[in-house]
Amino acid sequence: MGAAVAVDFSDARSVLAFDVGGSHITVARCNLKDFRILRTARAPLPSDLTCDEFLDLIHGLSHEMLPNSSEPVGAVLAVPGPFDLVSGVSHMQHKLKSLYGVDLRKALAERFGWRSGQFLFVNDAVAFLLGEVHCGAARGARRAVGIVLGSGIGSAFACDGQRVTQGDGIPAGGEIWNLPYGNGIVEDLLSTRAIKGGYAALTGKDEEVISIASGADSDSDARAVFQRFGFNLGQVFRDVLAPFGPDVVVLGGGISRSARLFLPFAQNQLNGFGFKLVTSRLLDQAPLVGAASFWRSGSDISEKAAIQDPERADSLRDDP
């Protein structure tokens, strides 16, 4: 279990926000008035975790967040897809396979002794963007896009501070990873496998992205791979995101930490398209803040909590 970091518990009304990542799970207790993070903890998330071990991990981390004086109103889990966010059932088979088909809302409610409507689920890319919209690099933007660059590419769209999944310029469900592009799909060009594959083609070496990036200052092949990645990023965003008319596109995820190597080449492709391309301001805190803001979103709460607990959904609508 990761060591908890205490900050302040002066505000009683709060929610637990979980970011279920690829290798770690992070939890924060967030104030619901201003989404301030009050306390955090982090723990490894082994890929071979059983369902019971996953539930134990969530439950154990939650106890590191609880002062004696008050309890949170509920919990939000920011999760990768595929995941049925309304019912709380994972459809993932590439990782956390033990959760496949499990009713996590019911299982967590039983483990915590809470009502099922006190657990909500949000896509991790959506949580990332909501965090940046409310407290980060997209704050004040009328139209924003969040892009999470990692083993895959996550995406989310927001208008006037609320996520949107349909409308002019928005791909189905706000997903761009599987859109046909070039000789394949978008994710073929904008993911870790694109960088690793490009580097292997030039050098014959199978290296991780972080290793390729760390050697780029002295490795011309590494620089070339990231320059190509940036060119492709700009091309894709010009063709796929520009129709939405965003004011800003915010990049997050592991690859974005190497933005200095590719961002200028992406921006060269976007001159004249009228939107800024920036990196995350909140970094790892973005999905935690975004999960808390998701709780505050009355339409999302009503849609999801009413599925299993109509009374709880009504009470959540009344939260400030």
Side-chain angles (χ1 to χ4, degrees):
M1 219 57 87
V5 179
V7 179
D8 177 30
F9 285 116
S10 60
D11 296 298
R13 187 168 292 275
S14 60
V15 67
L16 296 183
F18 290 88
D19 179 19
V20 182
S23 61
H24 286 78
I25 184 166
T26 306
V27 60
R29 182 165 177 149
C30 296
N31 175 276
L32 278 172
K33 183 178 181 180
D34 56 10
F35 309 129
R36 180 164 44 96
I37 291 179
L38 306 174
R39 190 176 177 91
T40 63
R42 192 171 189 241
L45 186 63
S47 60
D48 59 352
L49 215 63
T50 68
C51 182
D52 280 340
E53 289 171 338
F54 178 82
L55 296 172
D56 287 342
L57 180 58
I58 294 286
H59 192 237
L61 283 170
S62 73
H63 277 285
E64 299 189 42
M65 299 296 101
L66 304 180
N68 296 325
S69 58
S70 63
E71 290 226 352
V73 296
V76 188
L77 278 72
V79 294
F83 198 104
D84 186 331
L85 301 168
V86 174
S87 65
V89 176
S90 171
H91 293 166
M92 289 184 286
Q93 297 190 66
H94 62 298
K95 55 185 173 183
L96 295 176
K97 296 179 181 179
S98 65
L99 303 184
Y100 181 80
V102 175
D103 184 342
L104 286 175
R105 175 175 282 114
K106 180 180 178 181
L108 286 167
E110 291 174 351
R111 188 63 57 100
F112 277 67
W114 292 1
R115 287 185 288 183
S116 59
Q118 288 179 266
F119 292 92
L120 299 180
F121 301 87
V122 59
N123 178 264
D124 53 2
V126 172
F128 165 75
L129 176 58
L130 290 177
E132 294 293 336
V133 163
H134 287 286
C135 301
R139 189 170 186 176
R142 183 175 179 274
R143 298 171 76 84
V145 179
I147 298 293
V148 180
L149 298 168
S151 57
I153 177 170
S155 58
F157 295 71
C159 187
D160 296 324
Q162 299 293 321
R163 67 169 184 140
V164 287
T165 57
Q166 57 185 354
D168 291 344
I170 303 174
E175 297 278 5
I176 72 169
W177 70 273
N178 57 350
L179 294 179
Y181 201 89
N183 295 322
I185 60 175
V186 166
E187 194 167 272
D188 294 335
L189 294 174
L190 305 181
S191 61
T192 57
R193 70 173 180 269
I195 295 173
K196 291 181 63 175
Y199 190 70
L202 291 176
T203 67
K205 299 177 182 178
D206 181 16
E207 300 283 353
E208 296 300 322
V209 171
I210 190 171
S211 176
I212 300 170
S214 65
D217 288 337
S218 59
D219 184 344
S220 60
D221 291 326
R223 291 197 299 275
V225 166
F226 275 103
Q227 290 169 10
R228 170 55 60 178
F229 182 85
F231 175 85
N232 289 336
L233 189 77
Q235 290 272 308
V236 170
F237 285 5
R238 188 174 68 184
D239 296 336
V240 173
L241 301 184
F244 175 63
D247 300 304
V248 62
V249 176
V250 187
L251 303 180
I255 295 176
S256 72
R257 296 179 187 273
S258 303
R260 69 179 184 87
L261 300 174
F262 65 82
L263 200 58
F265 301 92
Q267 290 171 328
N268 284 342
Q269 302 302 310
L270 297 172
N271 291 334
F273 280 82
F275 62 88
K276 295 186 296 182
L277 183 59
V278 300
T279 54
S280 170
R281 184 176 300 166
L282 299 181
L283 301 176
D284 292 342
Q285 291 187 347
L288 301 170
V289 173
S293 73
F294 178 78
W295 183 278
R296 281 281 306 273
S297 175
S299 60
D300 286 330
I301 290 171
S302 301
E303 174 188 349
K304 294 173 173 57
I307 297 296
Q308 302 242 347
D309 195 337
E311 291 183 2
R312 183 61 184 167
D314 290 338
S315 70
L316 294 179
R317 294 189 193 99
D318 296 331
D319 281 340

